Amino acid sequence: MHHFALTEEQRMLRESAVRLFEKTTPKWSDFAEMGWLGLLIDIKRGGIGGTVADAAVLAQAFGHGLVAAPYVTVAGLCAPLLCAAPATETLDGVIAAIAEGTQVVALAAGEAGSHYGLSGHATQAKSLPGGGWHINGAKAIVVDGGQADVFILAASIENERLGLFLIDADMPGISRRTYRTIDRHDACDLKLENVSLPQERLIVEGDLASELLHASVDRANVLLAAEAIGAMEAAMALAAEHIGTREQFGRTLSSYQVLTHRLADMHVRLEHARSMLMRGLAMLEAQPDVRAAAVSATMVHVIEAGEFVCGQAIQLHGGLGMSEESQVGQYYKRLRAIGRTYGDARFHLNRYIAHASADAA
Amino acid sequence: MQFELSPECEAFRREMQAQLRAMVPADMARRTRQRVHPTKDDLKLWNRLLNEKGWAAPHWPQEFGGTGWDPLLVHIFEEECAAADAPFPSYFGLRLVGPLLYTFGSQEHRDRYLPTILSGDIFWCQGFSEPSSGSDLASLRTRAYRDGDEWIVEGGKLWTTEAHFADKMLLLARTNPDVRPQRGGLSMFILDMNAPGVTRRPVITIDEGHSVNEIFFDSVRLPADALLGEEGEGWTYAKFLLAHERITNAHVPRNKRDVRMLRTIASEECDGGQPMVERPDIAEALARLEIDVAALEWSVLRELNQPSGNPAIASGLKILASEIQQRITDLAVDLVGPAGLVFYDEAAIECDDPAGDVADYVPGLAARQLFYRATTIYAGSNEIQRGIIARQAFGY
């Protein structure tokens, strides 16, 4: 039996987030204090032990509040990925540090020309005779990587199987180039030249690594979808307020049916996207093919709805919506960024097609 | 109907292609490809280079400095300018003030301003839109009062493109508040942007670029001869200009160039080793854009060859063209994948090693996509255009 309503805990979670975002520009340490960074970490390992649906409630509030923080990357993607890998002392340390807010972790998977693919990495990990690894290669457009202390690095072991490695940003041989993204997050490129790693820095390899990576990115996608829904709600509310107050040709804009019908279409798209967010959440534990198709179906819907809702929020604001000072444009840019973090609508439509027979069955 | 291009047209195209490509400096061509907003230096230099050939305003009548080419040749010329990656010349002097002056202006104004527009020595901006008057020009609040022979201007303008480049403004202001704007309440003026009481403030747009401005007039004194044409004719002149603007805003030459560039990007960008152009969804999107640009071009050619004088046609061109421009930039960003996330500032755009380890056509694409959200808003929003079509074509 599905329950679509928020639980009592989720309502409280949402309200605490809304209150925090109304008050100030929140700091990373605030998120740690509220327990949000450890939401998807087991209680035994220093976290809260919440569900992905709980995290989605929070991500939606981040979207609504337009909070430019790497919350989904760190707490929604990297933390549960590390928790699912075979435990080691090093991993336990990083996981605890995430929950405490003392370390930021980012996923370094993409490379020049890899588009949104998660396999076929040119970055090479070479096994050393006495144990340990040598890593050489380059990573590009690591989302939220500018401030990261630690990276989960995807590399090809001996040119044949995927390995996920844990590397520190300040290790010898690593150079980082940090830059801004369109939505005022940051990203970085990494160069890795003969980076030496101890043996236990390989956290998982082969088919296990591949499945863990895909499952983690799918979870992150659904959380980004939640953030997108929050941003759409806020942008739509701004547009509704604008056309209710702005006058042109001696009438408020809301007296023009073409404009109120546009708002109605935005509402319809948003509600269906919200349903697809819930469907995506429901399918995260399904077997990999089914999950992949379902998450991509969610993303196609949410990304296209986001483009429409936030794009039309700008259109309804007219020139005012084009100003960098106006909030609607910022929501639009966040939606654009979400729609190309782990795949755009075209990518997800093709991915859905590739896995569709599984989803249909 | 009879459709064939004369051999003269083909020879003209070849001639222009060769000359224009040799005229555009390589660094200017690169900036034109990458930047969302042209630099003032490039606009000035290109204006001067064109003027040296006598080609600064091919669309003007020959007696005022035009080339005497027929509309088809002008179209071919503009297409070759775009193909050579020349910047689109600064719009306001050449497209608005020039035609306005040779159509309605005094001989004195023509003699004084037309040569400096052709040479590019004097840059113009258009002072129409205001904070509370975007689509609704009739609600303008900026006032011009008579003070003896002179005028005093109070008020302000918003979304004034290239005001930070401009020496002069074509100003639309209320001269008679007791009369409806359409019935003689508005007049047009030539305003010196450096006059005391004129303040400019940059308005940064969502691409984080600076092309538009807010302008404040604090008791700006205009000389008697600042009035353009007749007092009270501002509405007539504005309508004359907006009709012009909608045809130029079809931007066929630029759209054709941009679609060609899309195909190049689609062949070079790869998704898992496969060129993007081989992906069925990309091939279809690209084909649809090429087909729609062809439709746009033939609609413009029709209108140029046999002007309908029907505002519904111009409005339809504006709708189609603005939507095509948005789709082109949407697809361009889709083609480069995650690189669409990266914010490239102006310095990054001209650097040889852009962040994200990307090809040199990438910087600027995302900013262009963002700025082009404005195409369905400016020059009369598409909602306004649809209203015009419904009225003109069906009487509703």
Coordinates of all heavy atoms in Angstrom, one line a residue, chain B residues 204-253:
Chain B
I204 N 22.1 43.6 -15.4 CA 22.7 42.4 -15.8 C 21.6 41.4 -16.0 O 20.6 41.3 -15.2 CB 23.6 41.9 -14.6 CG1 24.7 43.0 -14.3 CG2 24.3 40.6 -15.0 CD1 25.5 43.4 -15.5
T205 N 21.6 40.7 -17.1 CA 20.6 39.7 -17.5 C 21.0 38.3 -17.0 O 22.1 38.1 -16.5 CB 20.3 39.7 -19.0 OG1 21.6 39.8 -19.7 CG2 19.4 40.8 -19.4
I206 N 20.1 37.3 -17.1 CA 20.3 36.0 -16.5 C 21.5 35.2 -17.1 O 22.0 34.3 -16.5 CB 19.1 35.1 -16.5 CG1 18.6 34.9 -17.9 CG2 18.0 35.7 -15.7 CD1 17.4 33.8 -18.0
D207 N 22.0 35.7 -18.2 CA 23.3 35.1 -18.7 C 24.5 35.7 -18.0 O 25.6 35.4 -18.3 CB 23.4 35.3 -20.2 CG 23.3 36.8 -20.6 OD1 22.3 37.5 -20.2 OD2 24.3 37.3 -21.2
E208 N 24.2 36.7 -17.1 CA 25.2 37.4 -16.4 C 26.0 38.3 -17.3 O 27.1 38.8 -17.0 CB 26.2 36.5 -15.6 CG 25.4 35.7 -14.5 CD 26.3 35.0 -13.6 OE1 27.2 35.6 -13.0 OE2 26.0 33.8 -13.4
G209 N 25.4 38.7 -18.5 CA 26.1 39.6 -19.4 C 25.4 41.0 -19.2 O 24.4 41.2 -18.6
H210 N 26.1 42.0 -19.8 CA 25.6 43.4 -19.8 C 25.4 43.8 -21.2 O 26.3 44.0 -22.0 CB 26.7 44.3 -19.1 CG 26.3 45.7 -19.2 ND1 27.2 46.7 -19.1 CD2 25.1 46.3 -19.3 CE1 26.6 47.9 -19.1 NE2 25.3 47.7 -19.2
S211 N 24.1 43.9 -21.6 CA 23.7 44.5 -22.9 C 22.6 45.5 -22.7 O 22.4 46.3 -23.5 CB 23.3 43.4 -23.8 OG 22.1 42.7 -23.4
V212 N 21.9 45.4 -21.6 CA 20.7 46.3 -21.4 C 21.0 47.2 -20.2 O 21.8 46.9 -19.3 CB 19.4 45.6 -21.3 CG1 19.0 44.9 -22.6 CG2 19.4 44.6 -20.1
N213 N 20.3 48.3 -20.1 CA 20.5 49.3 -19.1 C 19.2 49.9 -18.6 O 18.2 49.9 -19.3 CB 21.4 50.4 -19.7 CG 22.7 49.9 -20.2 OD1 23.7 49.8 -19.5 ND2 22.7 49.5 -21.5
E214 N 19.4 50.6 -17.4 CA 18.3 51.4 -17.0 C 18.8 52.9 -17.1 O 19.9 53.1 -16.7 CB 17.9 51.1 -15.5 CG 16.7 51.9 -15.0 CD 16.1 51.4 -13.8 OE1 16.7 50.6 -13.1 OE2 14.9 51.8 -13.5
I215 N 18.0 53.8 -17.6 CA 18.4 55.1 -17.8 C 17.4 56.1 -17.0 O 16.2 55.8 -17.0 CB 18.2 55.5 -19.3 CG1 18.9 54.5 -20.2 CG2 18.8 56.9 -19.5 CD1 20.4 54.4 -20.0
F216 N 18.0 57.0 -16.3 CA 17.2 58.0 -15.6 C 17.4 59.4 -16.2 O 18.5 59.8 -16.5 CB 17.7 58.0 -14.1 CG 17.7 56.7 -13.5 CD1 18.8 55.8 -13.4 CD2 16.5 56.2 -12.9 CE1 18.8 54.6 -12.8 CE2 16.5 54.9 -12.3 CZ 17.6 54.1 -12.3
F217 N 16.3 60.1 -16.3 CA 16.4 61.5 -16.8 C 16.0 62.4 -15.6 O 14.8 62.3 -15.1 CB 15.4 61.7 -17.9 CG 15.5 60.7 -19.0 CD1 14.5 59.9 -19.4 CD2 16.7 60.6 -19.7 CE1 14.6 59.0 -20.4 CE2 16.9 59.7 -20.8 CZ 15.8 58.9 -21.1
D218 N 16.9 63.3 -15.2 CA 16.6 64.2 -14.1 C 16.7 65.6 -14.7 O 17.8 66.2 -14.8 CB 17.6 63.9 -13.0 CG 17.4 64.9 -11.8 OD1 16.4 65.5 -11.7 OD2 18.3 64.9 -11.0
S219 N 15.6 66.2 -15.1 CA 15.5 67.5 -15.7 C 16.5 67.6 -16.8 O 17.4 68.6 -16.8 CB 15.7 68.6 -14.7 OG 14.7 68.5 -13.7
V220 N 16.5 66.8 -17.8 CA 17.4 66.8 -18.9 C 16.9 67.9 -19.9 O 15.8 67.8 -20.3 CB 17.6 65.5 -19.6 CG1 18.5 65.6 -20.7 CG2 18.1 64.4 -18.6
R221 N 17.8 68.8 -20.2 CA 17.4 69.9 -21.1 C 17.7 69.5 -22.5 O 18.9 69.2 -22.8 CB 18.1 71.2 -20.7 CG 17.7 72.4 -21.3 CD 18.2 73.6 -20.6 NE 17.4 74.0 -19.4 CZ 16.3 74.7 -19.4 NH1 15.8 75.1 -20.5 NH2 15.6 74.9 -18.3
L222 N 16.7 69.6 -23.4 CA 17.0 69.3 -24.8 C 16.8 70.6 -25.6 O 15.9 71.4 -25.4 CB 16.0 68.3 -25.4 CG 15.9 66.9 -24.7 CD1 14.8 66.0 -25.4 CD2 17.2 66.2 -24.8
P223 N 17.7 70.8 -26.6 CA 17.5 72.0 -27.5 C 16.2 71.9 -28.3 O 15.7 70.8 -28.5 CB 18.8 72.0 -28.3 CG 19.3 70.6 -28.3 CD 18.8 70.0 -27.0
A224 N 15.8 73.0 -28.9 CA 14.6 73.0 -29.7 C 14.6 72.0 -30.8 O 13.7 71.3 -31.2 CB 14.3 74.4 -30.2
D225 N 15.8 71.9 -31.4 CA 15.9 71.0 -32.6 C 16.1 69.5 -32.3 O 16.4 68.7 -33.1 CB 17.0 71.5 -33.5 CG 18.4 71.3 -32.9 OD1 18.5 71.0 -31.7 OD2 19.4 71.6 -33.6
A226 N 15.9 69.2 -31.0 CA 16.0 67.8 -30.6 C 14.7 67.0 -31.0 O 14.8 65.8 -31.1 CB 16.2 67.6 -29.1
L227 N 13.7 67.7 -31.3 CA 12.4 67.1 -31.7 C 12.6 66.5 -33.1 O 13.1 67.1 -34.0 CB 11.3 68.1 -31.8 CG 9.9 67.6 -32.2 CD1 9.3 66.7 -31.1 CD2 9.0 68.7 -32.5
L228 N 12.3 65.2 -33.2 CA 12.4 64.5 -34.5 C 11.1 64.5 -35.2 O 10.0 64.1 -34.7 CB 12.9 63.0 -34.2 CG 13.4 62.2 -35.4 CD1 14.3 61.1 -35.0 CD2 12.2 61.6 -36.2
G229 N 11.1 65.0 -36.4 CA 9.9 65.1 -37.2 C 8.9 66.1 -36.6 O 9.3 67.1 -36.1
E230 N 7.6 65.6 -36.5 CA 6.6 66.5 -36.0 C 6.2 66.2 -34.5 O 6.3 65.0 -34.2 CB 5.3 66.3 -36.8 CG 5.5 66.6 -38.3 CD 5.6 68.0 -38.6 OE1 5.0 68.9 -37.9 OE2 6.4 68.3 -39.6
E231 N 5.9 67.2 -33.8 CA 5.4 67.0 -32.4 C 4.1 66.2 -32.5 O 3.2 66.4 -33.3 CB 5.2 68.4 -31.7 CG 4.8 68.2 -30.3 CD 4.6 69.5 -29.6 OE1 5.0 70.6 -30.1 OE2 4.0 69.5 -28.5
G232 N 4.0 65.2 -31.6 CA 2.7 64.5 -31.5 C 2.7 63.3 -32.4 O 1.7 62.5 -32.4
E233 N 3.7 63.1 -33.2 CA 3.7 62.0 -34.2 C 4.5 60.7 -33.6 O 4.8 59.8 -34.4 CB 4.4 62.4 -35.5 CG 3.5 63.3 -36.3 CD 2.2 62.7 -36.7 OE1 2.2 61.6 -37.4 OE2 1.1 63.2 -36.3
G234 N 4.8 60.7 -32.4 CA 5.6 59.7 -31.8 C 5.0 58.3 -32.0 O 5.7 57.3 -32.3
W235 N 3.7 58.2 -31.9 CA 3.0 56.9 -32.0 C 3.2 56.3 -33.4 O 3.5 55.2 -33.7 CB 1.6 57.0 -31.6 CG 0.8 55.7 -31.6 CD1 0.0 55.3 -32.6 CD2 0.9 54.7 -30.6 NE1 -0.5 54.0 -32.2 CE2 0.0 53.7 -31.0 CE3 1.6 54.6 -29.4 CZ2 -0.1 52.5 -30.3 CZ3 1.4 53.4 -28.7 CH2 0.6 52.4 -29.1
T236 N 3.0 57.2 -34.4 CA 3.1 56.9 -35.8 C 4.5 56.4 -36.1 O 4.7 55.3 -36.8 CB 2.8 58.1 -36.7 OG1 1.7 58.8 -36.2 CG2 2.7 57.7 -38.2
Y237 N 5.5 57.1 -35.6 CA 6.9 56.7 -35.9 C 7.2 55.4 -35.2 O 7.9 54.5 -35.8 CB 7.9 57.8 -35.4 CG 7.7 59.1 -36.0 CD1 8.2 60.3 -35.3 CD2 7.0 59.3 -37.2 CE1 8.0 61.5 -35.9 CE2 6.8 60.6 -37.7 CZ 7.3 61.7 -37.1 OH 7.1 62.9 -37.6
A238 N 6.7 55.2 -34.0 CA 7.0 53.9 -33.2 C 6.4 52.8 -34.0 O 7.1 51.7 -34.1 CB 6.5 54.0 -31.8
K239 N 5.2 52.9 -34.5 CA 4.6 51.8 -35.2 C 5.3 51.5 -36.5 O 5.5 50.3 -36.8 CB 3.1 52.1 -35.5 CG 2.2 51.9 -34.3 CD 0.8 52.1 -34.7 CE 0.3 51.1 -35.7 NZ -1.2 51.2 -36.0
F240 N 5.8 52.5 -37.2 CA 6.6 52.3 -38.4 C 7.9 51.5 -38.1 O 8.2 50.6 -38.8 CB 7.0 53.7 -38.9 CG 8.1 53.8 -39.9 CD1 7.8 53.5 -41.3 CD2 9.4 54.1 -39.6 CE1 8.8 53.6 -42.2 CE2 10.4 54.1 -40.5 CZ 10.1 53.8 -41.8
L241 N 8.5 51.8 -36.9 CA 9.7 51.1 -36.5 C 9.5 49.7 -36.1 O 10.2 48.8 -36.5 CB 10.4 51.9 -35.4 CG 11.0 53.2 -35.8 CD1 11.6 53.8 -34.5 CD2 12.1 53.0 -36.8
L242 N 8.4 49.5 -35.3 CA 8.2 48.1 -34.8 C 7.9 47.2 -35.9 O 8.2 46.0 -35.9 CB 7.0 48.2 -33.8 CG 7.4 48.9 -32.5 CD1 6.2 48.9 -31.5 CD2 8.6 48.2 -31.8
A243 N 7.2 47.7 -37.0 CA 6.9 46.8 -38.2 C 8.3 46.4 -38.8 O 8.5 45.3 -39.2 CB 6.0 47.6 -39.1
H244 N 9.2 47.4 -38.9 CA 10.5 47.1 -39.5 C 11.2 46.0 -38.6 O 11.8 45.1 -39.1 CB 11.4 48.4 -39.4 CG 11.5 49.1 -40.7 ND1 12.6 49.2 -41.4 CD2 10.5 49.8 -41.4 CE1 12.4 49.8 -42.5 NE2 11.2 50.2 -42.5
E245 N 11.2 46.3 -37.3 CA 11.9 45.5 -36.3 C 11.5 44.0 -36.5 O 12.3 43.1 -36.4 CB 11.6 46.0 -34.9 CG 12.6 45.6 -33.9 CD 12.3 46.2 -32.5 OE1 11.1 46.5 -32.2 OE2 13.2 46.3 -31.7
R246 N 10.2 43.8 -36.7 CA 9.8 42.4 -36.7 C 10.3 41.6 -37.9 O 10.5 40.4 -37.8 CB 8.2 42.4 -36.6 CG 7.8 42.6 -35.2 CD 6.3 42.8 -35.1 NE 6.0 43.5 -33.8 CZ 5.1 44.4 -33.6 NH1 4.3 44.8 -34.5 NH2 5.0 44.9 -32.4
I247 N 10.5 42.3 -39.0 CA 11.1 41.5 -40.1 C 12.6 41.3 -39.9 O 13.1 40.2 -40.0 CB 11.0 42.4 -41.4 CG1 9.5 42.7 -41.7 CG2 11.7 41.7 -42.6 CD1 8.9 42.0 -42.9
T248 N 13.3 42.3 -39.4 CA 14.7 42.1 -39.1 C 14.9 41.1 -38.0 O 15.8 40.3 -38.1 CB 15.4 43.4 -38.6 OG1 14.8 44.5 -39.4 CG2 16.9 43.4 -38.8
N249 N 14.0 41.1 -37.1 CA 14.1 40.1 -36.0 C 13.9 38.7 -36.4 O 14.0 37.8 -35.6 CB 13.1 40.5 -34.8 CG 13.8 41.4 -33.9 OD1 15.0 41.5 -33.8 ND2 13.0 42.1 -33.1
A250 N 13.5 38.4 -37.7 CA 13.5 37.1 -38.1 C 14.9 36.5 -38.2 O 15.0 35.3 -38.1 CB 12.8 37.0 -39.5
H251 N 15.9 37.3 -38.3 CA 17.3 36.9 -38.2 C 17.6 35.7 -39.0 O 18.2 34.7 -38.6 CB 17.7 36.7 -36.8 CG 17.9 37.9 -36.0 ND1 18.8 38.9 -36.4 CD2 17.3 38.4 -34.9 CE1 18.8 39.9 -35.6 NE2 17.9 39.7 -34.6
V252 N 17.1 35.7 -40.3 CA 17.3 34.5 -41.1 C 18.8 34.2 -41.3 O 19.3 33.0 -41.1 CB 16.6 34.6 -42.5 CG1 17.1 33.5 -43.4 CG2 15.1 34.6 -42.2
P253 N 19.6 35.2 -41.6 CA 21.1 34.9 -41.9 C 21.7 34.3 -40.6 O 22.4 33.3 -40.7 CB 21.7 36.3 -42.2 CG 20.5 37.1 -42.7 CD 19.3 36.6 -41.9

